[in-house]
Amino acid sequence: MMHIKPILAALRRHKAGTILIAMQIALTLAIVCNALFIISQRLERVHRPTGLVEGDLMAIQSRFVGVDEAKAGPLIKADLAALRQLPGVQDAIAINSYPLRGGGWSTGVRTDVDAKDSKGHTTQYFADEHTLPTMGLRLVEGRNFRSDEIIEADPQGVPDPAVVIVSKALADQMYPDGHALSKPIYIGDTKKPATIIGIVERLGVPWNASWSDKFYENSLIQPVQMTGAATNYLIRAKPGQLADVLKAAPAMLIKTNRMRVISSERGVRSFAQVREEAYKGDRGMALLMGVVCLVLLAITAAGIVGLTSFWVGQRRKQIGVRRALGATKGDILNYFLTENLLIGVAGVVIGALLAIGMNLWLVTQFEMARLSLTYVLAGVIALLLLGQGAVLAPAMRASRVSPVEATRSV
């Protein structure tokens, strides 16, 4: 503490360098805190579950060519019958979309027919009674669809279903008392209720963008077999036979009906590939933010080392005089560590305010979550430790300046 006054006096004589380093620390803290927060959010998103048993699951995207939308139903039925008989296949469905696919249907849902506003938002999956075993969904209440409940419908005119299966998240949002089973639910603007006959533990939506985070686990399965020319087949292979089915299933579909298109890029994918491609952007963003953080921290550390080394060179006479007057090596070392700590504290205080302000701007512009103060606190501690670590080498060099050497340099 006894060094504070002369240190402040010395810093006042070097305002430009002091302000420069303090602002560098502040900007680094603000950017690193928000970058680490973004990385954390992205990684959390990448690892969140879909509700599916993803192993041994694959998807095929198929489109019939020259087929009327309303007349593709028998062709899809033939495809499903052939897929379910294929060696190595455990089950298969034709479905409009699936988790992480990137496109699908969504709508508002109500529990009161006269309600003007939706009580929740959900994605809509249309498939038959093979959906639960194919996707590996866990039924926690109620029952699966019966085959006689499945209806065929053109994508342009899907009728209101009599029964539906919902995810637990949607059930709890619609009926917070925990008694959603057998209760009515109104899909979109319809006046006709559908009865909830089953609740699955978890089922994610097809999107992984931030706008869908608020209803990520709100899903609704309707007993409808779409008859459109374009459809997605989800196929569950028997354990250990996914590689064989990935080759055999598309070949069998082409053999069943050659008047179809299966994309060579995204037409046939294991679910592991679906997940990898869905979160490619998030992983890239996390990597980029990580590199930015490392570069900023390295530049800040280099700036502190450079400035302190410069000051040590300028103050060799001063250091020599202090050493001649009885100052120990430890006193010189503490002087520079304390001086750097004062600059660092000023920088992190400004940086903390900048970090919060930057996050508030990101929240309004990009619908991000609010920055946790834990990140700010961790950033403050990390920057102060980094600064003290960076100044240690030049400070030790200064402490080794002998009184005689300093006197000769006068």
Side-chain angles (χ1 to χ4, degrees), residues 365-386:
Q365 297 297 317
F366 302 105
E367 298 183 355
M368 282 182 54
R370 288 187 183 277
L371 176 67
S372 167
L373 291 181
T374 303
Y375 286 87
V376 180
L377 182 61
V380 167
I381 294 172
L383 260 296
L384 289 178
L385 290 176
L386 177 72

Side-chain angles (χ1 to χ4, degrees), residues 140-141 166-173 199-203 217-219:
V140 293
E141 286 188 70
V166 301
S167 64
K168 190 171 189 308
L170 180 60
D172 290 343
Q173 186 172 353
I199 300 173
V200 294
E201 183 179 36
R202 178 180 287 119
L203 180 55
E217 291 193 10
N218 284 6
S219 299

Side-chain angles (χ1 to χ4, degrees), residues 8 60 165 210 270 325 375:
L8 291 176
I60 297 179
I165 294 174
S210 58
S270 67
L325 293 175
Y375 286 87

Side-chain angles (χ1 to χ4, degrees), residues 60-111:
I60 297 179
Q61 189 173 336
S62 169
R63 171 179 283 278
F64 292 108
V65 179
V67 175
D68 191 306
E69 290 280 335
K71 296 180 179 177
L75 300 178
I76 293 173
K77 278 187 175 179
D79 283 349
L80 287 175
L83 285 172
R84 289 165 183 164
Q85 293 299 316
L86 190 68
V89 171
Q90 187 167 308
D91 214 336
I93 56 171
I95 192 166
N96 63 314
S97 188
Y98 48 84
L100 303 185
R101 176 177 172 268
W105 295 25
S106 69
T107 186
V109 283
R110 296 164 291 132
T111 54

Side-chain angles (χ1 to χ4, degrees), residues 21 299-311 340 387 389-394 397:
I21 287 298
I299 291 174
T300 302
I304 293 172
V305 171
L307 185 65
T308 308
S309 297
F310 176 70
W311 284 348
N340 184 73
V391 83
L392 193 58
R397 197 161 55 248

Side-chain angles (χ1 to χ4, degrees), residues 28-48:
T28 299
L29 178 63
I31 295 173
V32 168
C33 283
N34 281 283
L36 291 178
F37 185 57
I38 292 172
I39 291 173
S40 171
Q41 284 191 313
R42 297 291 173 139
L43 293 181
E44 185 179 341
R45 184 195 303 275
V46 166
H47 292 100
R48 63 186 177 184

Side-chain angles (χ1 to χ4, degrees), residues 9-24:
L11 291 177
R12 277 196 291 270
R13 289 195 295 272
H14 301 88
K15 287 180 184 174
T18 302
I19 293 173
L20 184 66
I21 287 298
M23 290 309 298
Q24 188 174 354

